[in-house]
Amino acid sequence: MMSRSYTNLLDLAEGNFAALGPGGGGGGRRRSGSFGLKRMSRVMTVPGTLSELDGEDDSEHAATNSVASDVPSSVAGDRVIVVSNQLPVVARRRPDGRGWSFSWDDDSLLLQLRDGIPDEMEVFFVGSLRAEVPVADQEEVSQALLDRFRCAPVFLPDPLNERFYHRFCKRHLWPLFHYMLPFSSSASPSPSSSSSSSSSPSSSSGSGRFDRGAWEAYVLANKFFFEKVVEVINPEDDYVWVHDYHLMALPTFLRRRFNRLRIGFFLHSPFPSSEIYRTLPVREEILKALLNCDLIGFHTFDYARHFLSCCSRMLGIEYQSKRGYIGLDYFGRTVGIKIMPVGVHMGQLKTVLSLPDREWRVSELQQQFEGKTVLLGVDDMDIFKGINLKLLAFENMLRTHPKWQGRAVLVQIANPARGKGKDLEAIQAEIHESCKRINGEFGQSGYSPVVFIDRDVSSVEKIAYYTIAECVVVTAVRDGMNLTPYEYIVCRQGSDSTSEVNGPKKSMLVVSEFIGCSPSLSGAIRVNPWNIEATAEALNEAISMSEQEKQLRHEKHYRYVSTHDVAYWSKSFIHDLERACKDHFRRTCWGIGLGFGFRVVALDPHFTKLNMDSIVMAYERSESRAIFLDYDGTLVPQTSISRTPSAEVLRIINTLCSDRRNKVFLVSGRRRDKLGEWFSSCPDLGIAAEHGYFLRWTRDEEWQTCTQTSDFGWMEMAKPVMNLYTEATDGSYIDPKDSALVWHHQDADPGFGSSQAKELLDHLESVLANEPVSVKSGQFIVEVKPQGVSKGVVAEKILVSMKERGKQADFVLCIGDDRSDEDMFENIADTIKKGMVATNTSLFACTVGQKPSKAKFYLDDTFEVVTMLSALADATEPEPETDLTDEFDELAVSLLS
């Protein structure tokens, strides 16, 4: 029966991943010619349009019927393959109907990012075209774009594109990422494209209930992009940089085919809080797909924090910050998190500022608004831009500060809506009504307080408005980045050839706190656009501010904008991507899992699976064996409700203990009374409880302590602190042991529990600073125990005691699954050097699960552990029963001494 789970949707087209290609074809050694960015300098783009800077003559007229190609699909050397939903190319059919003409889209962020890529690296683009290309022309168009533009177009069938782009991307992902939940099945929002943020869709949209068919189309469309990348990629030399929410499933396809491929992803839209994102039915599939990247980029820390919170709450993956870099440990791979807002293209803006056409437009506007203070808004017409909120705030300012009546003008440029929908129509009606009301109430002869421009405005005209505006106002209720303030700052600075901006440069900004550029503009007045009165006061403050203050704020903003341009952003991203991938060809990698559950496990090359035949052979030829077994997660699954040992486990242990050449020890963090009860049927089993604080060699022996510590007065100091955090953290509890105190928070809220654990750790370390104890954090725990107590220490003591009694081990097996067992693995590795065991000893330090570990071997799960121990039991030769009490008494005395 076919599962209805979304997990296997990657098999949508052919029904099996194998149809997409081999599972691990991306391995191999990186070429020695890889670029290295030792120290990243500030980068400023030079004036000129991008098509001019590209150096391609007549690129506007590159026709498909005049170009032949002998360029291979992949070239040697490092290269960045930029993959996005749309290519930075404008395609037009020739007026005579014969062939096509192409030109670079100079306003495209994807084209502009080339300025930050090292000169020795080629930039190759993969994406779709805005124009509809008939099937008959697709091969010819593809060849022309490859030859002249180094682009590989993806052609999606119209029905697939409708479901992928218009239905899933725009009706589900885009509204959700902008904090709009689908409360009804009807379509509601109508996003429009934005020149300042690549996250806005370009036509009608709606937020309806989740559509499984649209999600399947999304996955299939991502597979189309994947197949195009495969056609042109050289996996040993190429970097792949995927852009935006349209292609969030693509990294899983790529990682499945090329395990070591270097993949980066940048999200140009907001990433919602976990409370919003968790409503998406395919939430885990998308998170897991993104985690198949090596570096994931966001505009702001808020967006990154929301993503990290989702990974913690939904996947149980916590991030770590090390030397300024944030990373997620995902099955041995470190997935980097990059926080870097995109910038503007300084060269392109300065070129437009130098155009003669701009000067007369500026002069005309200065005459039109002579004696007036101009506030400017430049927004797309969609429901998230907050245009009506801006108008209401301006109206409130005129009413509460009458001095501005007749003097202040709000010019609102609204790029025409490219979408449709009831919500958009309602917003448009409100805007027009507000404009009419404000102009009717405050207008005078020759004075209209609101100038509303709802038509296409050219770049030159828009820059002219920027030049004469005293303040730019952005009141979007949610926006991924929004580069309008950056463009305004550059235009107010002017260029060397501008004559109308004399004297000190100044500018003022009133920006919504809900847009991506807000954190980087520390001199702007930040507002909550929903608070009309506060926004009105901010407008008054901005235009009433002293000239010197405006100048200082402008200088601060311009220093940032001019040095953090689009080239700096792309160079910084590539720099961090190379750093994140530096160990790709050194580590052992292999893929596991199906569908979106697929991930690559990256481990040390010396880390291998424990071979059953090898360990049985070593076991059979040895004469003195030491076997150390963890309990939880090793002999019984961590997820098991019943933690008592099975009859099979008890049988195996008794069989191993029956051989006089074996000394089997259970080394666990559990209390001694519980372990003694569970293993009461194993008379010859040694037990080290509470990480080795309590020890006994056989069931009939008394429990002994392995340290001289007898003062537990520190518990009276630690308990009140733990009680405080237990009361404040719902779902947490204290597990008091004879030698330790453990605070558990696995049942608490993940984010709050983790935060409280860090606070508790610091608090306890401070309170117990002068006590002979160790305070450590583990998986969902904070533990306080006596110093010098660890599984590694007790294992060493047991081996030393065996040597002193003439039973020096020549076979050591150590199995565990968590952090406390890592001490045991580390200490066992040095036992030969320390002379604790024979020089020819077979050492088997084995962890449970494929994960980074100090052990050299692994087994997949508890089932394989029990199977391996059963194989050893089958190879065991039980000795005749003898009275070993005296011998074990002597060993115990030796150990404790």
Side-chain angles (χ1 to χ4, degrees), residues 201-245:
S202 60
S203 60
S204 63
S205 171
S207 178
R209 297 280 168 76
F210 185 80
D211 181 349
R212 179 180 287 111
W215 161 245
E216 293 174 349
Y218 179 86
V219 175
L220 183 56
N222 274 246
K223 180 177 177 292
F224 272 71
F225 282 84
F226 157 74
E227 290 173 339
K228 184 58 66 173
V229 172
V230 170
E231 289 180 14
V232 300
I233 198 168
N234 183 339
E236 292 188 16
D237 297 307
D238 292 344
Y239 291 80
V240 178
W241 189 357
V242 183
H243 287 264
D244 225 358
Y245 63 94

Side-chain angles (χ1 to χ4, degrees), residues 631-638 848 860-867:
Y631 185 67
D632 293 282
T634 301
L635 298 180
V636 294
Q638 288 282 12
V848 182
D860 285 327
D861 49 35
T862 57
F863 176 78
E864 288 196 352
V865 172
V866 174
T867 302

Side-chain angles (χ1 to χ4, degrees), residues 1 163 278 302 319 329 348 365 383 439 547 589 756 809:
M1 178 178 178
R163 289 182 294 144
R278 69 195 305 176
D302 276 347
Y319 76 92
D329 185 8
Q348 189 175 11
L365 291 176
I383 64 173
N439 287 335
E547 298 299 301
C589 299
Q756 289 290 80

